[in-house]
Amino acid sequence: MEHDLSPATLAELRRPRPYPAVSVLTPTHRRDPLNAQDPVRLRNAVAEAKKQLEADPAVTRDRRGEVERQLDRALAEVDLTHSEDGLVIFAAPGEHQVWSLARSVPERVVLSDTFLTRNLVSAHTAERPFWALSVSPDRATLWNGGTDRVTEEHAGGFPLIRTVENFDPERLEQVGDQPSAFRDEGTRRFLRETDTAMGAILREHPRPLYVTGEPAALSLLGEAGGVARDAVHVQHGGLAHGTPDAVWQALRPVLESEARKSTEDVRRALETARGRKRFAAGVDELWQNTRDGRVQLLAVEENFRVTVREAGEHLVAAESGDLDAREDIVDELVEQCLETGAEVRFVPDGALGDASRIAGVLRY
């Protein structure tokens, strides 16, 4: 199942397809007892997609059969033992994808000439993905991080491993000679190569970067003048050979501190915007400003969801399943804001006070 929504991947997903491009969305659950219903709900959603394909006169028999086969292949790839909060299946002639999301999605089936991407974009933004690079004299390991975990990433040549004859970093550490390993020109060259490889990753997949290692390793990496310059340094050795859990535990306090700072920065920006008459709050007010490209910063509480429908020039509350109901209006706003160059920040529930759980700073 897919997780990493890079700019190139998003552009590919948004590419027009031969009709029909089918998007199947269903909420999932991480824990018992709610996750017991997920397999049935998923099968029902795929069955609904097939029903819509059969009822659509614009879909030929051959094309319907091909898309149904892609849906079946996608269904076979789903691993609900590692469910997150939402699941998206894309299927079109000759292709399919399965995306697991750390943000809930509305239950729906959409047939169009493009895939429905706004829920992916919102979930990716809410997850606040980051890279962590752990360095040592003989190994550099890349970690893919999200809101509650890290996993080792095998990309761009990582992990980088330096093979040196008679080099034993554990022995050096035991006898107290570890600093000498960092005075070695081979180590300097290895860390410069690490910096170059990490720079290539960031150009293709830009994210915040955290670098872990002994102080001497971090200092040498910083001398390379590349990625470490703008990274957050975490002085913790041994993680280049460590486990994902060890890396997460080392990074967690730093990430929590950064998240608190980010939330305070958002609050201050919103208060300043109030004083300058450049503040908007609530889905209706922000919907109108987003369509005009006026939103500079959008702040959304993490678990905010609301169903609305259009009533003339405004949005009004609606029930799920109502005719013309828009169940993922928050995800629509997030995607539209990002499309117009706005910054989107997710904050803890309750952090926005009386701002109706969603607020923005306007450009003018």
Side-chain angles (χ1 to χ4, degrees), residues 4 8 31 40 43 56 78 100 102 126 156 165 190 221 227 244 253 260 267 270-271 278 296 303 316 326 342-343:
D4 184 25
R31 298 177 182 85
V40 174
R43 286 196 298 271
D56 192 333
V78 174
S100 178
E165 189 176 356
F190 175 68
L221 193 63
V227 298
R260 287 192 296 269
R267 287 198 187 105
L270 292 173
E271 283 303 313
R278 291 169 51 195
Q296 178 179 331
N303 293 301
V316 297
R326 300 168 75 159
E343 182 180 5

Side-chain angles (χ1 to χ4, degrees), residues 338-359:
L338 290 170
E339 285 292 302
T340 58
E343 182 180 5
V344 176
R345 305 275 279 274
F346 282 84
V347 298
D349 292 345
L352 298 183
D354 62 352
S356 302
R357 305 194 67 185
I358 185 168

Side-chain angles (χ1 to χ4, degrees), residues 83-350:
S83 292
E84 294 181 278
D85 302 305
L87 191 73
V88 178
I89 290 176
F90 295 135
E95 63 176 319
H96 66 272
Q97 292 188 32
V98 179
W99 288 81
S100 178
L101 308 181
R103 180 169 166 83
S104 185
V105 298
E107 193 166 45
R108 65 188 307 186
V109 173
V110 177
L111 274 62
S112 184
D113 59 357
T114 59
F115 292 137
L116 185 69
T117 61
R118 58 176 170 256
N119 306 95
L120 267 68
V121 171
S122 183
H124 179 74
T125 306
E127 192 169 3
R128 296 185 289 272
F130 63 88
W131 295 119
L133 176 64
S134 297
V135 294
S136 71
D138 66 326
R139 184 182 175 95
T141 305
L142 180 63
W143 308 94
N144 186 346
T147 51
D148 59 0
R149 68 185 185 280
V150 297
T151 56
E152 186 173 353
E153 183 77 10
H154 295 272
F158 287 99
L160 301 179
I161 299 172
R162 176 188 175 209
T163 303
V164 182
E165 189 176 356
N166 298 325
F167 180 74
D168 185 349
E170 288 189 6
R171 183 190 64 78
L172 290 172
E173 188 171 5
Q174 290 169 3
V175 300
D177 289 340
Q178 185 66 24
S180 67
F182 295 103
R183 290 195 294 268
D184 178 70
E185 180 56 32
T187 301
R188 293 174 180 272
R189 183 167 53 251
F190 175 68
L191 292 178
R192 286 196 297 270
E193 293 168 354
T194 298
D195 179 88
T196 299
M198 191 67 236
I201 292 284
L202 288 171
R203 283 192 294 275
E204 188 171 351
H205 302 276
R207 299 181 183 180
L209 173 64
Y210 297 82
V211 182
T212 78
E214 298 287 346
L218 298 179
S219 177
L220 276 184
L221 193 63
E223 289 178 11
V227 298
R229 185 171 45 202
D230 298 319
V232 177
H233 290 198
V234 180
Q235 294 188 6
H236 193 300
L239 297 180
H241 297 268
T243 64
D245 183 63
V247 175
W248 174 251
Q249 294 305 324
L251 291 177
R252 187 173 179 177
V254 180
L255 294 169
E256 290 176 348
S257 175
E258 296 259 314
R260 287 192 296 269
K261 181 179 181 299
S262 175
T263 299
E264 287 304 315
D265 289 344
V266 168
R267 287 198 187 105
R268 283 193 294 269
L270 292 173
E271 283 303 313
T272 300
R274 281 182 190 268
R276 296 177 178 176
K277 308 299 183 184
R278 291 169 51 195
F279 174 83
V283 291
D284 181 44
E285 192 173 345
L286 282 163
W287 180 60
Q288 297 180 60
N289 283 292
T290 297
R291 288 186 300 172
D292 295 336
R294 294 182 62 196
V295 179
Q296 178 179 331
L297 167 67
L298 180 71
V300 186
E301 293 189 359
E302 289 169 346
N303 293 301
F304 179 46
R305 289 285 185 186
V306 64
T307 301
V308 299
R309 60 178 175 83
E310 291 186 47
E313 294 288 321
H314 299 278
L315 298 178
V316 297
E319 295 294 328
S320 179
D322 282 357
L323 185 65
D324 297 329
R326 300 168 75 159
E327 299 191 27
D328 49 1
I329 187 63
V330 174
D331 289 354
E332 286 189 53
L333 290 171
V334 169
E335 184 179 50
Q336 289 175 21
C337 282
L338 290 170
E339 285 292 302
T340 58
E343 182 180 5
V344 176
R345 305 275 279 274
F346 282 84
V347 298
D349 292 345

Side-chain angles (χ1 to χ4, degrees), residues 60-88:
T60 65
R61 180 177 179 181
D62 288 347
R63 184 153 289 182
R64 182 178 73 244
E66 167 61 12
V67 176
E68 287 179 348
R69 284 190 291 273
Q70 296 295 336
L71 285 168
D72 289 338
R73 291 169 185 164
L75 189 59
E77 293 177 9
V78 174
D79 181 8
L80 290 175
T81 59
H82 299 94
S83 292
E84 294 181 278
D85 302 305
L87 191 73
V88 178

